Amino acid sequence: MKKVNKNFYILLLIEAIVIAVFVRIYQFGMIPGGMNQDGAMAAVDAKALADYGTDRFGMRWPVHLTAWGFGQMSALLSYLMIVPIKLFGLSVFSARLPMLLVSLASLVILYFFARDFAGKNTALAVLLFAAINPWHIMQSRWAIDCNLFPHFLLAGVFCLHRGISRKKSWLYLSMVFFALSMYCYGISIYTVPLFLLAACILLLQRRKVTFLQVLGCVGIYLLIAWPFLACMIINAFQLSTIETPFFTIPYFPYSMRSNDILFFSPQPLAQLQQNAVALLKILSQVYSGPRWNEIRGFGTLYLFSVPFMLLGMGIIFRRYRKSIGAALIVLWFLTGAAAGLITANVNINRINIIFYPMILFTGIGIWATMRFLGQKKVWKVLRLVIPLVYCAAFCLFVSTYFTTYAEQAADDFMEDFGKAVTEIKGTEAEKIYISADAQYKGYGHVSEILTLFYMDIDSKEYQNPEFHQRFTFQIPFNPNPEEDAVYVAAADDLMRFPPERYTIENYGKFSVVVPRFAED
């Protein structure tokens, strides 16, 4: 097992690529059904940027998005959506396409990174595991801004390692990806600088970079990242919005995300304990969070992967002093763990940067186990057990993902609401009443953003006061059957519409209701 037959290696490499691509593109845009509200919001802003160079509120090329008004959102995903939306129009497919492409590209980067520091055999094991990894598959098939973060960080670490082991030009390229990662997710404000500071100290200590090279890297990083950093400073100190000819650095008067950080929590010790427990559950694969992040019974790595992950972690930590690649992975993992402790209400989304180190640990642990078993003739047959178990787990995962999970996810992503709203697209009714219960009862802001997405409402129309006069995101208690109106009503609201006065067309949990006089 010290060497793998060249033809067999190529066959396995092709197999990994085919499996990875197929499981991520099969029924892409249809499963999961519906649309997550954050993904819909990113797409609506992307459409506005594509049409007018502003977000849906009219802000010109913002470096950070207003989002709900009471919570900000990273902007890079929306900017990546611009081209697909221009090409294919506003749809679930075009909104999710950037995440799919970035995820597939990251598998290639992951393979070459593992090959650079650990050899081609280890890299193959890592790629094979990543191809069937539940977390990686699931995050690639829907759209949310924070899931860009681990991919851009991976690209930065890969280029940084190559800049040390190969040409220095890679070193400076890494700063481009580290800087862009700042626009992927808000927690980058304390995770990326923390990682870069630790990496800088390590590389200077080991004389892998010079002080002049560090200054050059800092310059490139700040050249790209400074608008985001300035945005965080402006909002921390309540300063005025900065408008430049090329972009806007906004102040959000009704939004402050500092409560998401442990140090600003009203009960920091209790929050720290809660975060630590959640972090341990995520690492040990017993965490039970939202369905869009994991499927119960499989975890993010498969439940039985924990021993391989711990073995790989031990191998990497032992190589910390001898291998720059191992040292960077250790710093990366510790940064992710620190994010888990610092970020309030930590979940899989919020510490997603930790999963690439965990995938690397697991792939390395699997390969080390395969090599060990190959040294003993009596145990050689056991080598078959590992790939067979993973094949079985992957088949079970896929069969669950595309069947029972697909039904559950469609409910989580409010597919019925989307179908009902799509049905009234193009209506000429004077008034449009839409239920505030798309996600939870009374969440009118979610209903609004999904309506903007499914009805493909132009941002100029949205900014017009007439839009808010025509659209009401609440069903009236006593609807007027003589009013020229159309309704998207939840099941609980249907009792307000007597069937002799209204026509009701059902779309699962939501219905389109039209006064009968409008049909005459």
Side-chain angles (χ1 to χ4, degrees):
M1 292 296 292
K2 290 183 179 179
K3 293 185 178 180
V4 177
N5 177 275
K6 182 179 179 180
N7 292 334
F8 186 54
Y9 186 95
I10 293 173
L11 180 65
L12 287 176
L13 187 61
I14 293 172
E15 177 188 342
I17 294 169
V18 170
I19 289 173
V21 173
F22 180 76
V23 77
R24 287 161 178 78
I25 67 171
Y26 178 67
Q27 294 191 345
F28 181 76
M30 293 180 284
I31 297 178
M35 193 69 181
N36 172 267
Q37 66 275 10
D38 287 343
M41 182 161 49
V44 168
D45 280 331
K47 177 69 161 50
L49 289 165
D51 291 341
Y52 305 109
T54 71
D55 67 3
R56 70 185 188 278
F57 297 109
M59 185 183 296
R60 190 169 181 274
W61 301 113
V63 301
H64 210 57
L65 297 175
T66 305
W68 305 108
F70 54 82
Q72 308 154 26
M73 190 170 78
S74 300
L76 185 56
L77 180 59
S78 290
Y79 284 100
L80 293 180
M81 286 179 180
I82 289 176
V83 172
I85 288 174
K86 271 290 188 183
L87 292 175
F88 308 112
L90 184 63
S91 67
V92 175
F93 174 84
S94 60
R96 291 177 176 173
L97 187 59
M99 188 61 69
L100 172 68
L101 297 178
V102 169
S103 297
L104 289 173
S106 294
L107 289 177
V108 177
I109 295 171
L110 182 68
Y111 170 79
F112 282 107
F113 175 54
R115 196 179 73 168
D116 284 351
F117 84 87
K120 68 175 188 177
N121 292 338
T122 301
L124 179 60
V126 169
L127 179 62
L128 282 165
F129 177 66
I132 64 170
N133 176 257
W135 167 78
H136 200 280
I137 293 168
M138 294 181 71
Q139 62 80 38
S140 68
R141 295 181 59 93
W142 65 294
I144 188 170
D145 59 315
C146 63
N147 277 342
L148 279 179
F149 190 26
H151 306 305
F152 276 80
L153 197 61
L154 169 65
V157 173
F158 164 68
C159 293
L160 179 60
H161 183 259
R162 282 214 161 179
I164 296 161
S165 58
R166 299 190 182 187
K167 291 183 179 181
K168 294 301 179 186
S169 56
W170 287 94
L171 191 67
Y172 303 117
L173 180 61
S174 73
M175 294 300 118
V176 175
F177 288 106
F178 285 126
L180 288 175
S181 72
M182 304 295 289
Y183 298 91
C184 294
Y185 192 24
I187 71 166
S188 62
I189 191 67
Y190 52 84
T191 51
V192 175
L194 176 64
F195 173 82
L196 289 177
L197 177 61
C200 178
I201 294 171
L202 172 76
L203 298 177
L204 284 172
Q205 183 184 31
R206 297 191 185 183
R207 298 182 180 179
K208 297 294 182 180
V209 295
T210 64
F211 188 71
L212 190 61
Q213 290 168 341
V214 169
L215 289 179
C217 287
V218 170
I220 294 171
Y221 171 78
L222 291 178
L223 181 65
I224 300 171
W226 79 263
F228 172 79
L229 297 173
C231 184
M232 296 298 103
I233 293 171
I234 283 173
N235 283 275
F237 294 98
Q238 300 182 9
L239 305 176
S240 300
T241 293
I242 297 176
E243 295 185 25
T244 77
F246 307 104
F247 51 81
T248 302
I249 307 175
Y251 167 61
F252 304 107
Y254 307 109
S255 175
M256 191 63 186
R257 299 300 298 266
S258 61
N259 288 337
D260 289 348
I261 304 174
L262 174 70
F263 309 115
F264 298 96
S265 170
Q267 296 180 310
L269 292 180
Q271 187 66 64
L272 178 62
Q273 182 180 3
Q274 180 182 336
N275 291 352
V277 171
L279 174 62
L280 288 174
K281 287 182 176 180
I282 291 171
L283 294 176
S284 60
Q285 301 296 290
V286 296
Y287 178 81
S288 294
R291 273 195 295 248
W292 47 77
N293 283 325
E294 66 168 354
I295 300 177
R296 302 292 187 272
F298 292 94
T300 54
L301 302 175
Y302 298 113
L303 303 183
F304 56 86
S305 293
V306 173
F308 296 118
M309 184 189 72
L310 293 175
L311 175 60
M313 185 185 300
I315 292 170
I316 290 298
F317 271 74
R318 283 184 60 190
R319 294 180 181 175
Y320 175 84
R321 295 186 179 278
K322 296 180 180 180
S323 167
I324 289 295
L328 291 176
I329 295 172
V330 169
L331 295 180
W332 187 357
F333 174 77
L334 293 177
T335 300
L341 295 175
I342 294 172
T343 308
N345 303 313
V346 64
N347 57 25
I348 289 171
N349 278 4
R350 294 194 167 198
I351 60 164
N352 50 26
I353 58 171
I354 207 169
F355 289 110
Y356 273 124
M358 290 170 68
I359 289 172
L360 284 162
F361 291 152
T362 306
I364 290 167
I366 291 171
W367 176 243
T369 304
M370 296 283 284
R371 286 191 63 184
F372 174 77
L373 293 176
Q375 294 172 1
K376 307 289 185 181
K377 289 184 180 180
V378 132
W379 293 348
K380 279 188 177 181
V381 70
L382 293 177
R383 289 180 302 174
L384 295 175
V385 174
I386 297 174
L388 286 175
V389 168
Y390 273 104
C391 283
F394 174 62
C395 290
L396 286 172
F397 171 79
V398 169
S399 64
T400 303
Y401 183 86
F402 289 103
T403 55
T404 55
Y405 172 79
E407 296 175 3
Q408 297 168 350
D411 186 51
D412 291 336
F413 286 1
M414 300 156 283
E415 184 178 44
D416 292 346
F417 181 84
K419 289 178 180 178
V421 171
T422 301
E423 185 63 23
I424 67 169
K425 182 178 179 180
T427 180
E428 296 181 359
E430 291 183 3
K431 283 287 295 182
I432 299 174
Y433 295 97
I434 296 179
S435 170
D437 305 340
Q439 186 180 38
Y440 305 114
K441 209 161 187 63
Y443 277 51
H445 55 284
V446 174
S447 298
E448 179 181 279
I449 200 65
L450 291 174
T451 300
L452 295 177
F453 176 80
Y454 284 110
M455 294 186 69
D456 194 3
I457 293 173
D458 188 272
S459 62
K460 294 292 185 183
E461 179 184 349
Y462 177 68
Q463 294 162 29
N464 192 318
E466 292 182 2
F467 170 86
H468 301 282
Q469 295 171 6
R470 186 185 186 208
F471 283 81
T472 298
F473 294 94
Q474 185 176 356
I475 301 299
F477 188 76
N478 291 307
N480 180 4
E482 302 299 324
E483 185 179 23
D484 182 14
V486 63
Y487 305 81
V488 173
D492 293 344
D493 298 322
L494 293 183
M495 63 181 68
R496 307 180 191 184
F497 302 96
E500 65 274 12
R501 306 297 299 270
Y502 296 91
T503 298
I504 301 172
E505 190 171 353
N506 184 267
Y507 293 90
K509 292 185 175 181
F510 291 87
S511 300
V512 174
V513 182
V514 180
R516 286 193 178 274
F517 86 88
E519 298 178 342
D520 299 333

